[in-house]
Amino acid sequence: MPLRALARVNLAAIERNVSRLVSRLAPGAGLCAVVKGDGYGHGAARAAGAALAGGARSLAVATADEAAELREAGLEAPLLLMGAVSAQELPVALSAGAELVAWSERFVTDLAAAADGRVRVHVKLDTGMGRLGTRSRAAALVVAERVAASPALELAGAMTHFATADEDPEFLRAQLERFRPFAAELRRRPGVRAHAANSAATLREPATHFDMVRCGIAIYGADPMHDDPAAWGLEPALELTSYVAAVKRALPGDSAGYGRRFIAERETWIATLPIGYADGIRRALSGNCDVLIAGRRHPLAGTVSMDNITVDLGPETTVQEGEPATLIGAQGGVRQTAEELARRIGTINYEVLCGISRRVPRAYHHDGQAG
Ligand SMILES: *Cc1c(COP(=O)(O)O)cnc(C)c1O
């Protein structure tokens, strides 16, 4: 019996995506698997385990709680906490043994005071993202000096983050040129590694690889360029499914769903699937998305509710109650990608995947084998 809503994650696909990415890296560069946002909706700990099996050397998250969760799951790989860390979060981050990112002298002072043992620190230069990091190379070098001078801290990395790796190669190169002298300066110290590339930069521009790349979206088999993951040899790891809970006839004039946004113009059959926006099927997809049932695309009819969607099966259908339905993934020869859903509602695959809510159970397998 199919489940109400289910995200099936193929860990073997994550492993293969990582090993394909690793095979493209410039000599000497390693891959850090980014598993923030609960592994982009795939489940952080399981995704991390698969990424390490595929050849990732380290992991990265955005928050202290995410770091703690990975340690609780028994993952011992080097772990970079990329986000800003507040005074409240600092003890959690430190007890997880996370490597931290610094860009102000003030943070380095607080960190040195709180550190119990040697904490590895990466210094961030803002070369154009305009979020975290200092824009001043001189200021970032002073921060790095402070880290290196503190017995409680260890200078581990020089980093930056690209704003346009997926869309504007010229700005990417400008950021890269701003980063180079900073990276060169810090790399003169033993053990310091430079890193800058996200998935898009990793795929597009080998000159961004330095000593490490930080790949998120691509390890899950989604396309950082928002189009077709297959074009980069990436395999989507996640499938989102539901099932047909009811099939009923609609006569011309009958409606389906809130607000009567769908009204049958002809006699047709309507399927109801018990999955909705509380599961992450965004309401903006109302009347603007397909569902794969019995190896065919069928249009979503009417409004997405919190717990249900309705699908127009057409005037003649063999679809029965109980049949599986796919929202993200493939059935027979047809597929619907996270990229396609994203395009339909003006967002990106990242948000579609991260938006699959906690209410949806995750089931893990290796190419169909349980586990
Ligand atoms: C999220 C994140 C990444 C990974 O980005 P993808 O586009 O998913 O590969 C890399 N670096 C930083 C700083 C990030 O916040």
Side-chain angles (χ1 to χ4, degrees):
M1 192 60 202
L3 284 187
R4 183 191 70 78
L6 179 66
R8 295 186 79 236
V9 177
N10 186 358
L11 296 171
I14 296 179
E15 283 185 37
R16 284 191 292 269
N17 291 329
V18 169
S19 71
R20 271 182 215 117
L21 290 161
V22 167
S23 73
R24 301 175 71 117
L25 298 186
L31 187 140
C32 170
V34 180
V35 296
K36 63 190 178 186
D38 199 25
Y40 292 47
H42 294 63
R46 300 302 297 268
L52 292 167
R57 291 196 195 149
S58 60
L59 304 169
V61 292
T63 74
D65 287 344
E66 289 178 337
E69 187 194 325
L70 292 178
R71 294 309 193 209
E72 277 154 28
L75 290 149
E76 287 166 359
L79 176 55
L80 174 63
L81 202 176
M82 301 182 295
V85 178
S86 70
Q88 285 87 342
E89 293 168 291
L90 197 50
V92 178
L94 293 177
S95 71
E99 304 183 16
L100 299 177
V101 179
W103 54 87
S104 75
E105 290 183 68
R106 168 93 187 267
F107 180 71
V108 172
T109 306
D110 293 350
L111 186 56
D116 172 20
R118 263 169 100 77
V119 176
R120 288 166 59 82
V121 178
H122 300 245
V123 177
K124 185 165 198 177
L125 179 67
D126 176 9
T127 57
M129 174 60 103
R131 300 187 317 196
L132 303 176
T134 168
R135 286 198 168 92
S136 155
R137 171 151 47 105
L141 288 172
V142 170
V143 171
E145 287 299 333
R146 284 291 168 93
V147 172
S150 166
L153 308 177
E154 184 182 332
L155 184 61
M159 70 183 285
T160 194
H161 191 38
F162 296 118
T164 66
D166 56 334
E167 50 187 70
D168 179 355
E170 210 167 304
F171 193 71
L172 169 89
R173 276 192 289 276
Q175 284 196 264
L176 180 58
E177 293 318 314
R178 265 172 239 153
F179 181 59
R180 270 187 213 285
F182 175 67
E185 183 79 23
L186 262 59
R187 267 165 135 190
R188 283 172 22 198
R189 297 170 182 275
V192 174
R193 308 177 74 216
H195 49 102
N198 54 7
S199 296
T202 299
L203 290 170
R204 274 209 167 139
E205 186 48 81
T208 63
H209 293 180
F210 294 92
D211 304 306
M212 179 173 99
V213 300
R214 306 183 305 263
C215 289
I217 196 75
I219 74 172
Y220 307 101
D223 180 6
M225 266 58 82
H226 319 293
D227 189 9
D228 183 0
W232 301 99
L234 300 170
E235 299 170 58
L238 181 145
E239 243 183 355
L240 179 62
T241 61
S242 178
Y243 79 103
V244 176
V247 177
K248 69 174 151 215
R249 203 157 69 117
L251 297 175
D254 284 345
S255 63
Y258 284 116
R260 306 193 70 218
R261 297 287 186 279
F262 172 83
I263 296 183
E265 286 171 3
R266 45 165 195 179
E267 196 175 320
T268 191
W269 293 91
I270 298 292
T272 301
L273 281 47
I275 187 170
Y277 61 75
D279 301 295
I281 306 300
R282 294 267 302 274
R283 193 168 175 276
L285 289 165
S286 298
N288 183 23
C289 156
D290 289 335
V291 178
L292 316 181
I293 306 171
R296 275 192 49 205
R297 279 177 176 266
H298 299 275
L300 204 151
T303 307
V304 174
S305 318
M306 190 184 292
D307 315 310
N308 291 286
I309 55 175
T310 39
V311 174
D312 186 356
L313 298 172
E316 276 164 49
T317 184
T318 56
V319 171
Q320 308 265 320
E321 290 180 6
E323 272 191 61
T326 301
L327 288 118
I328 299 174
Q331 255 198 24
V334 287
R335 64 171 190 156
Q336 180 161 265
T337 58
E339 287 76 11
E340 178 181 347
L341 294 188
R343 255 192 318 274
R344 285 174 179 270
I345 58 174
T347 183
I348 53 175
N349 45 10
Y350 298 66
E351 199 185 21
V352 169
L353 293 170
C354 291
I356 299 171
S357 77
R358 266 178 36 152
R359 195 167 84 170
V360 179
R362 271 68 173 169
Y364 297 95
H365 65 100
H366 285 85
D367 290 334
Q369 303 293 112

